[in-house]
Amino acid sequence: MKIRVGFGYDVHQLAEGEEFWLGGIQLDHQKGSVGHSDGDVLIHAICDALLGAANMRDIGYHFPDTSVELKGIDSKILLKKTVEIIAKKGFTIGNIDSTIALQKPKINPHIDKMQKILAEVMGIDIEDIAIKATTTEKLGFIGQEDGISAYATVLIQK
Ligand SMILES: [Zn+2]
């Protein structure tokens, strides 16, 4: 069996009047994520980690932010497609670990739901996707609530 590791990182600006999509669900907050797609920073970090593990470039390569069809797209569709892309090289997901860095709102009450939805989209067990959340203690652009970032590590196998 061949086992490979991958890492992904993404940042989005937060702005008032935007929808806030994170981990495949919509959160109720006065600010939302700015992006060409729905701006789901966690999904984008996971996609990049999966592509990196398979050495198949990055999310911007496969889903360019200049593409008209991708404008406002549900990132769950991008995630599903990413799983299909790495499957072309014969890879399946072993497990995913991730961290969201965000000052507000509190993410912990939503993690169960995010795990369930993302596991379903990727066709993996809930046990194989971990989602953690942290603030940056009010420091930097995240602490000032100007942005959100996410990190993901994945293991894939064939
Ligand atoms: Zn992104």
Side-chain angles (χ1 to χ4, degrees):
M1 184 161 70
K2 185 159 189 169
I3 294 174
R4 294 175 63 104
V5 68
F7 172 74
Y9 170 66
D10 193 32
V11 175
H12 280 262
Q13 192 186 330
L14 291 177
E16 282 182 28
E18 297 281 339
E19 288 183 356
F20 195 10
W21 285 90
L22 184 63
I25 63 172
Q26 189 173 10
L27 299 179
D28 194 20
H29 192 50
Q30 71 270 26
K31 285 187 173 180
S33 189
V34 180
H36 184 72
S37 64
D38 62 7
D40 194 319
V41 73
L42 177 61
I43 290 185
H44 297 173
I46 292 171
C47 288
D48 252 6
L50 291 169
L51 292 169
N55 200 353
M56 295 177 86
R57 307 289 296 260
D58 60 31
I59 190 171
Y61 176 84
H62 293 281
F63 312 110
D65 64 6
T66 47
S67 159
V68 180
E69 308 91 89
L70 298 178
K71 180 88 188 115
I73 196 170
D74 180 342
S75 292
K76 292 190 284 298
I77 295 168
L78 305 182
L79 181 59
K80 199 173 172 42
K81 285 187 175 173
T82 300
V83 173
E84 289 165 8
I85 290 167
I86 66 161
K88 284 185 199 154
K89 276 196 178 178
F91 288 112
T92 56
I93 297 168
N95 77 297
I96 297 170
D97 186 19
S98 64
T99 298
I100 299 162
L102 176 69
Q103 194 62 41
K104 270 186 203 167
K106 286 249 174 286
I107 296 303
N108 277 318
H110 307 290
I111 284 179
D112 284 351
K113 200 173 169 192
M114 289 177 182
Q115 279 177 303
K116 188 172 179 288
I117 285 179
L118 296 186
E120 215 170 273
V121 170
M122 293 183 280
I124 62 173
D125 206 274
I126 292 177
E127 193 54 38
D128 293 328
I129 172 161
I131 302 171
K132 311 185 296 297
T134 184
T135 70
T136 59
E137 301 288 339
K138 301 202 165 119
L139 295 169
F141 72 87
I142 287 163
Q144 301 301 314
E145 299 176 49
D146 291 329
I148 177 170
S149 69
Y151 304 81
T153 312
V154 306
L155 188 142
I156 60 172
Q157 65 210 1
K158 70 171 166 183

